[in-house]
Amino acid sequence: MADELSALEKGGITLASLEGRDPLLVATLRYLCHRGVLRESGERFTLTDYGARVYADRGFLVWLVGGYGEPMRRIDAFLQRSMRYGSDVTRDGRWVAGGTAMMARTDVVPQVMETLAKISFGTVLDLGSGNARFLMAVCDRFGARGIGVDVDHAAHAAAGEAVAANHMQDRIELVRADVRALDEIPGIDKVDLVVTFYLLHEILAGGRDALLGYLTGLAARLPAGAKLLVGEIEPPIDGEPGQPFTPEFTYVHALVRQTLLPADGWRDVLTEGGFDVREIVRCRVPGGILLLCEKHEPVSRSR
């Protein structure tokens, strides 16, 4: 989170490069050596094999510790109802977004690109597009046009800067709006692919009927044959201890009053909401699933 370890990816950190720095940095690196994350050799700190595995999964740690560390320190107050999450204490959205981006880069995006390569589309709608980096990558790789929707002002501004810097203003339209307000999304009736990652469980927090209503409304506005790609996390499997990350992910979402569904649960609600689930893909991220769906074809009735 302090961005002091990024040099490890480029061959390590030398003692010479630390001259004039706070001695705590050297002490921190040596502490990580004691815990087997780093090794010190020839006045250089490098990752051990174990450290490389930890570092590869740093997105999980940033998401949990940076994003939800302060609320997790208040669990006692939440249990005693002397404090409430969301009003007295809330998450740090900057580190939630940063950790998620780190995870997605290696643990989700490759599988997403492989899945999208199996279908054809000309216009993609990204619900919860953030800084639009993923949307730009999709449009660039598949020659598509894009619409990105996000309600956060900072994310919308960052997306605008990124799109302009990459000279994609003629291909990508950015909309600052609540993704729940489908009527405020322009051109949705012309979209042939919708992508949304880790959004639907937030809508599910309002109850299954709320999610079902959202999916039904989305399906009604999309043209025939439109595809939907959903990214979600399954809850941990009962009786299987030692599962990485998913118990923490599930517990944090219980804290914020959000529920996770298993793959079959997502299949059921998506089907009921107007979409056929064509494929379920497992991601490298623990518990991660991608559900590739297609809008139901209308059933013709013979007279």
Side-chain angles (χ1 to χ4, degrees), residues 68-88:
Y68 290 95
E70 187 61 24
M72 294 299 282
R73 287 183 60 242
R74 308 294 182 175
I75 287 292
D76 59 331
F78 298 145
L79 293 175
Q80 295 166 358
R81 296 189 175 181
S82 60
M83 298 181 74
R84 288 185 61 85
Y85 175 84
S87 54
D88 299 308

mmCIF file of all heavy atoms in Angstrom, residues 68-88:
data_model
loop_
_atom_site.group_PDB
_atom_site.id
_atom_site.type_symbol
_atom_site.label_atom_id
_atom_site.label_comp_id
_atom_site.label_asym_id
_atom_site.label_seq_id
_atom_site.Cartn_x
_atom_site.Cartn_y
_atom_site.Cartn_z
ATOM 1 N N TYR A 68 -10.978 -2.681 4.426
ATOM 2 C CA TYR A 68 -11.892 -3.019 5.518
ATOM 3 C C TYR A 68 -11.193 -3.155 6.872
ATOM 4 O O TYR A 68 -11.810 -3.594 7.845
ATOM 5 C CB TYR A 68 -12.627 -4.320 5.195
ATOM 6 C CG TYR A 68 -13.618 -4.173 4.075
ATOM 7 C CD1 TYR A 68 -13.269 -4.493 2.762
ATOM 8 C CD2 TYR A 68 -14.903 -3.689 4.311
ATOM 9 C CE1 TYR A 68 -14.179 -4.347 1.726
ATOM 10 C CE2 TYR A 68 -15.820 -3.539 3.280
ATOM 11 C CZ TYR A 68 -15.447 -3.862 1.992
ATOM 12 O OH TYR A 68 -16.348 -3.708 0.971
ATOM 13 N N GLY A 69 -9.921 -2.765 6.959
ATOM 14 C CA GLY A 69 -9.192 -2.901 8.208
ATOM 15 C C GLY A 69 -9.827 -2.133 9.355
ATOM 16 O O GLY A 69 -9.979 -2.666 10.473
ATOM 17 N N GLU A 70 -10.219 -0.897 9.106
ATOM 18 C CA GLU A 70 -10.811 -0.094 10.181
ATOM 19 C C GLU A 70 -12.169 -0.644 10.627
ATOM 20 O O GLU A 70 -12.395 -0.806 11.837
ATOM 21 C CB GLU A 70 -10.945 1.370 9.742
ATOM 22 C CG GLU A 70 -11.394 2.324 10.833
ATOM 23 C CD GLU A 70 -10.438 2.384 12.015
ATOM 24 O OE1 GLU A 70 -9.241 2.078 11.833
ATOM 25 O OE2 GLU A 70 -10.892 2.733 13.128
ATOM 26 N N PRO A 71 -13.089 -0.975 9.722
ATOM 27 C CA PRO A 71 -14.338 -1.601 10.187
ATOM 28 C C PRO A 71 -14.109 -2.912 10.938
ATOM 29 O O PRO A 71 -14.791 -3.180 11.937
ATOM 30 C CB PRO A 71 -15.120 -1.836 8.883
ATOM 31 C CG PRO A 71 -14.599 -0.825 7.944
ATOM 32 C CD PRO A 71 -13.148 -0.665 8.281
ATOM 33 N N MET A 72 -13.139 -3.723 10.493
ATOM 34 C CA MET A 72 -12.907 -4.992 11.171
ATOM 35 C C MET A 72 -12.404 -4.775 12.598
ATOM 36 O O MET A 72 -12.647 -5.600 13.478
ATOM 37 C CB MET A 72 -11.907 -5.837 10.375
ATOM 38 C CG MET A 72 -12.417 -6.296 9.008
ATOM 39 S SD MET A 72 -13.882 -7.345 9.085
ATOM 40 C CE MET A 72 -13.138 -8.905 9.545
ATOM 41 N N ARG A 73 -11.722 -3.666 12.846
ATOM 42 C CA ARG A 73 -11.285 -3.345 14.206
ATOM 43 C C ARG A 73 -12.472 -3.022 15.114
ATOM 44 O O ARG A 73 -12.336 -3.002 16.335
ATOM 45 C CB ARG A 73 -10.339 -2.145 14.195
ATOM 46 C CG ARG A 73 -8.955 -2.419 13.645
ATOM 47 C CD ARG A 73 -8.065 -1.192 13.746
ATOM 48 N NE ARG A 73 -7.927 -0.773 15.139
ATOM 49 C CZ ARG A 73 -8.325 0.412 15.606
ATOM 50 N NH1 ARG A 73 -8.934 1.275 14.807
ATOM 51 N NH2 ARG A 73 -8.137 0.729 16.873
ATOM 52 N N ARG A 74 -13.631 -2.736 14.513
ATOM 53 C CA ARG A 74 -14.808 -2.330 15.282
ATOM 54 C C ARG A 74 -15.849 -3.430 15.395
ATOM 55 O O ARG A 74 -17.007 -3.160 15.736
ATOM 56 C CB ARG A 74 -15.446 -1.097 14.624
ATOM 57 C CG ARG A 74 -14.480 0.044 14.364
ATOM 58 C CD ARG A 74 -13.961 0.653 15.641
ATOM 59 N NE ARG A 74 -13.072 1.775 15.374
ATOM 60 C CZ ARG A 74 -12.546 2.556 16.291
ATOM 61 N NH1 ARG A 74 -12.828 2.315 17.570
ATOM 62 N NH2 ARG A 74 -11.745 3.545 15.964
ATOM 63 N N ILE A 75 -15.457 -4.661 15.100
ATOM 64 C CA ILE A 75 -16.420 -5.765 15.133
ATOM 65 C C ILE A 75 -17.112 -5.842 16.492
ATOM 66 O O ILE A 75 -18.321 -6.085 16.584
ATOM 67 C CB ILE A 75 -15.721 -7.100 14.801
ATOM 68 C CG1 ILE A 75 -15.396 -7.163 13.307
ATOM 69 C CG2 ILE A 75 -16.586 -8.284 15.198
ATOM 70 C CD1 ILE A 75 -16.599 -7.247 12.400
ATOM 71 N N ASP A 76 -16.342 -5.627 17.584
ATOM 72 C CA ASP A 76 -16.958 -5.709 18.910
ATOM 73 C C ASP A 76 -18.085 -4.700 19.061
ATOM 74 O O ASP A 76 -19.153 -5.003 19.612
ATOM 75 C CB ASP A 76 -15.901 -5.510 19.999
ATOM 76 C CG ASP A 76 -15.185 -4.173 19.887
ATOM 77 O OD1 ASP A 76 -15.067 -3.659 18.756
ATOM 78 O OD2 ASP A 76 -14.753 -3.643 20.924
ATOM 79 N N ALA A 77 -17.855 -3.475 18.560
ATOM 80 C CA ALA A 77 -18.888 -2.433 18.666
ATOM 81 C C ALA A 77 -20.093 -2.755 17.793
ATOM 82 O O ALA A 77 -21.240 -2.490 18.171
ATOM 83 C CB ALA A 77 -18.308 -1.076 18.283
ATOM 84 N N PHE A 78 -19.854 -3.345 16.622
ATOM 85 C CA PHE A 78 -20.974 -3.716 15.758
ATOM 86 C C PHE A 78 -21.809 -4.821 16.405
ATOM 87 O O PHE A 78 -23.049 -4.789 16.366
ATOM 88 C CB PHE A 78 -20.473 -4.188 14.386
ATOM 89 C CG PHE A 78 -19.725 -3.131 13.610
ATOM 90 C CD1 PHE A 78 -18.661 -3.481 12.800
ATOM 91 C CD2 PHE A 78 -20.082 -1.804 13.691
ATOM 92 C CE1 PHE A 78 -17.965 -2.526 12.082
ATOM 93 C CE2 PHE A 78 -19.385 -0.830 12.968
ATOM 94 C CZ PHE A 78 -18.328 -1.198 12.169
ATOM 95 N N LEU A 79 -21.136 -5.804 17.005
ATOM 96 C CA LEU A 79 -21.851 -6.904 17.646
ATOM 97 C C LEU A 79 -22.679 -6.411 18.841
ATOM 98 O O LEU A 79 -23.765 -6.930 19.117
ATOM 99 C CB LEU A 79 -20.868 -7.979 18.104
ATOM 100 C CG LEU A 79 -20.127 -8.745 16.997
ATOM 101 C CD1 LEU A 79 -19.106 -9.693 17.595
ATOM 102 C CD2 LEU A 79 -21.110 -9.523 16.128
ATOM 103 N N GLN A 80 -22.160 -5.403 19.532
ATOM 104 C CA GLN A 80 -22.869 -4.854 20.688
ATOM 105 C C GLN A 80 -23.848 -3.745 20.307
ATOM 106 O O GLN A 80 -24.525 -3.187 21.163
ATOM 107 C CB GLN A 80 -21.846 -4.322 21.698
ATOM 108 C CG GLN A 80 -20.971 -5.418 22.281
ATOM 109 C CD GLN A 80 -19.754 -4.865 23.014
ATOM 110 O OE1 GLN A 80 -19.541 -3.658 23.055
ATOM 111 N NE2 GLN A 80 -18.970 -5.757 23.602
ATOM 112 N N ARG A 81 -23.881 -3.436 19.002
ATOM 113 C CA ARG A 81 -24.783 -2.421 18.454
ATOM 114 C C ARG A 81 -24.555 -1.025 19.040
ATOM 115 O O ARG A 81 -25.458 -0.203 19.090
ATOM 116 C CB ARG A 81 -26.251 -2.824 18.651
ATOM 117 C CG ARG A 81 -26.617 -4.088 17.886
ATOM 118 C CD ARG A 81 -28.104 -4.351 17.906
ATOM 119 N NE ARG A 81 -28.445 -5.492 17.081
ATOM 120 C CZ ARG A 81 -29.685 -5.935 16.890
ATOM 121 N NH1 ARG A 81 -30.701 -5.324 17.491
ATOM 122 N NH2 ARG A 81 -29.916 -6.973 16.125
ATOM 123 N N SER A 82 -23.317 -0.775 19.463
ATOM 124 C CA SER A 82 -22.982 0.575 19.911
ATOM 125 C C SER A 82 -22.478 1.429 18.755
ATOM 126 O O SER A 82 -22.364 2.654 18.882
ATOM 127 C CB SER A 82 -21.913 0.520 21.015
ATOM 128 O OG SER A 82 -20.722 -0.102 20.540
ATOM 129 N N MET A 83 -22.166 0.786 17.625
ATOM 130 C CA MET A 83 -21.784 1.481 16.403
ATOM 131 C C MET A 83 -22.439 0.768 15.233
ATOM 132 O O MET A 83 -22.788 -0.413 15.322
ATOM 133 C CB MET A 83 -20.257 1.494 16.215
ATOM 134 C CG MET A 83 -19.476 2.211 17.300
ATOM 135 S SD MET A 83 -17.686 2.209 17.002
ATOM 136 C CE MET A 83 -17.583 3.404 15.669
ATOM 137 N N ARG A 84 -22.571 1.504 14.119
ATOM 138 C CA ARG A 84 -23.172 0.931 12.918
ATOM 139 C C ARG A 84 -22.220 1.127 11.747
ATOM 140 O O ARG A 84 -21.665 2.215 11.557
ATOM 141 C CB ARG A 84 -24.528 1.584 12.599
ATOM 142 C CG ARG A 84 -25.641 1.203 13.553
ATOM 143 C CD ARG A 84 -26.968 1.793 13.103
ATOM 144 N NE ARG A 84 -27.358 1.299 11.792
ATOM 145 C CZ ARG A 84 -28.004 0.153 11.579
ATOM 146 N NH1 ARG A 84 -28.313 -0.634 12.609
ATOM 147 N NH2 ARG A 84 -28.335 -0.217 10.371
ATOM 148 N N TYR A 85 -22.070 0.046 10.983
ATOM 149 C CA TYR A 85 -21.281 0.169 9.760
ATOM 150 C C TYR A 85 -22.043 1.049 8.767
ATOM 151 O O TYR A 85 -23.257 0.936 8.610
ATOM 152 C CB TYR A 85 -21.029 -1.207 9.118
ATOM 153 C CG TYR A 85 -20.306 -1.075 7.790
ATOM 154 C CD1 TYR A 85 -18.928 -0.970 7.749
ATOM 155 C CD2 TYR A 85 -21.020 -1.004 6.601
ATOM 156 C CE1 TYR A 85 -18.258 -0.808 6.551
ATOM 157 C CE2 TYR A 85 -20.362 -0.845 5.389
ATOM 158 C CZ TYR A 85 -18.981 -0.743 5.368
ATOM 159 O OH TYR A 85 -18.338 -0.568 4.172
ATOM 160 N N GLY A 86 -21.311 1.930 8.091
ATOM 161 C CA GLY A 86 -21.916 2.791 7.084
ATOM 162 C C GLY A 86 -22.260 4.162 7.593
ATOM 163 O O GLY A 86 -22.364 5.104 6.798
ATOM 164 N N SER A 87 -22.452 4.286 8.917
ATOM 165 C CA SER A 87 -22.736 5.607 9.479
ATOM 166 C C SER A 87 -21.608 6.027 10.431
ATOM 167 O O SER A 87 -21.031 7.106 10.303
ATOM 168 C CB SER A 87 -24.079 5.609 10.210
ATOM 169 O OG SER A 87 -24.136 4.590 11.191
ATOM 170 N N ASP A 88 -21.255 5.162 11.387
ATOM 171 C CA ASP A 88 -20.162 5.471 12.314
ATOM 172 C C ASP A 88 -18.789 5.152 11.710
ATOM 173 O O ASP A 88 -17.825 5.881 11.920
ATOM 174 C CB ASP A 88 -20.336 4.690 13.625
ATOM 175 C CG ASP A 88 -21.635 5.048 14.327
ATOM 176 O OD1 ASP A 88 -21.879 6.249 14.528
ATOM 177 O OD2 ASP A 88 -22.404 4.133 14.659
#
